[in-house]
Amino acid sequence: MGITENHVMEILSRAYVQAIAAYARLNLEWRMELDYGVDGTFRPVTSFRKSRVEAGFPLDFQLKSTTNWEADSSHVTYKMDVAAYNKIVDREMRRAMPQILILLCLPESSSEWLEINEEQLLLRKCCYWHRLRGDLTDNKKSVNVYIPRTQLLNSTTLIDLLKKVERAEWTS
């Protein structure tokens, strides 16, 4: 029996983000209790008087995982729930603390999601990140989100995003 496929997808997306954050040497805070549109926060760490402290320039994220995505040569398309979309866009409109959408795109067949052997732990496909901007939508069910394929989430892009937050370049 076991947990549902949706829960498996969610846990795999958390594992992906956890691995990327660790490799980027970031502190990662998960929201375990009340989820009001933020699943977690990346917190850069710096040195202060020979100890480590949080740098004070965090980045929130909403994490989604799906097998229902499409890609062309330049974009990944994802049908996002309207309520989740509007929560992120509303924050952006109010110029609140920066937030990105992180989307784990998994293969259709669950048998292809994960492979483990002595040489590697392989989680198939990848996460993309996107900063949702624009107007709230009046759609009833979903809205198409187009994410440039260049916005692959890895340790380098994550560090670059956090540098933009620190330099106040996020508002541009």
Side-chain angles (χ1 to χ4, degrees):
M1 185 88 173
I3 63 175
T4 68
E5 269 201 359
N6 283 343
H7 287 151
V8 172
M9 290 191 308
E10 180 179 345
I11 292 167
L12 290 175
S13 67
R14 285 175 170 260
Y16 184 108
V17 169
Q18 187 79 43
I20 295 298
Y23 197 71
R25 295 181 170 20
L26 300 171
N27 198 8
L28 176 58
E29 174 188 344
W30 290 106
R31 305 285 162 80
M32 296 303 218
E33 290 189 29
L34 306 173
D35 178 1
Y36 292 108
V38 176
D39 287 320
T41 305
F42 298 109
R43 298 185 178 278
V45 174
T46 189
S47 62
F48 176 75
R49 296 186 179 169
K50 298 183 183 180
S51 66
R52 296 181 195 283
V53 297
E54 287 189 0
F57 298 96
L59 176 62
D60 284 344
F61 62 88
Q62 175 70 45
L63 182 58
K64 301 290 184 190
S65 57
T66 188
T67 58
N68 297 317
W69 56 277
E70 295 178 7
D72 61 25
S73 61
S74 61
H75 288 83
V76 170
T77 305
Y78 169 59
K79 286 188 185 293
M80 186 172 183
D81 173 75
V82 166
Y85 174 87
N86 280 338
K87 285 178 187 177
I88 296 173
V89 170
D90 178 62
R91 275 180 56 137
E92 181 73 24
M93 292 170 69
R94 291 183 289 112
R95 297 182 180 217
M97 187 168 107
Q99 180 179 16
I100 58 172
L101 167 68
I102 298 175
L103 178 67
L104 174 61
C105 297
L106 290 165
E108 238 180 269
S109 173
S110 62
S111 65
E112 297 176 19
W113 294 350
L114 187 68
E115 181 182 320
I116 301 169
N117 60 49
E118 289 183 359
E119 296 297 318
Q120 65 186 351
L121 168 67
L122 178 64
L123 176 58
R124 284 205 174 74
K125 204 51 188 135
C126 64
C127 282
Y128 297 95
W129 70 271
H130 194 54
R131 180 180 177 191
L132 295 176
R133 296 194 272 188
D135 296 322
L136 300 175
T137 182
D138 292 327
N139 291 10
K140 299 295 182 216
K141 188 173 181 180
S142 64
V143 60
N144 283 338
V145 175
Y146 302 95
I147 305 172
R149 291 183 67 181
T150 56
Q151 292 180 186
L152 176 70
L153 184 69
N154 59 39
S155 58
T156 303
T157 57
L158 186 51
I159 290 168
D160 289 344
L161 286 169
L162 287 160
K163 285 179 182 175
K164 285 183 78 170
V165 171
E166 183 175 1
R167 292 188 304 250
E169 294 173 3
W170 190 260
T171 56
S172 57

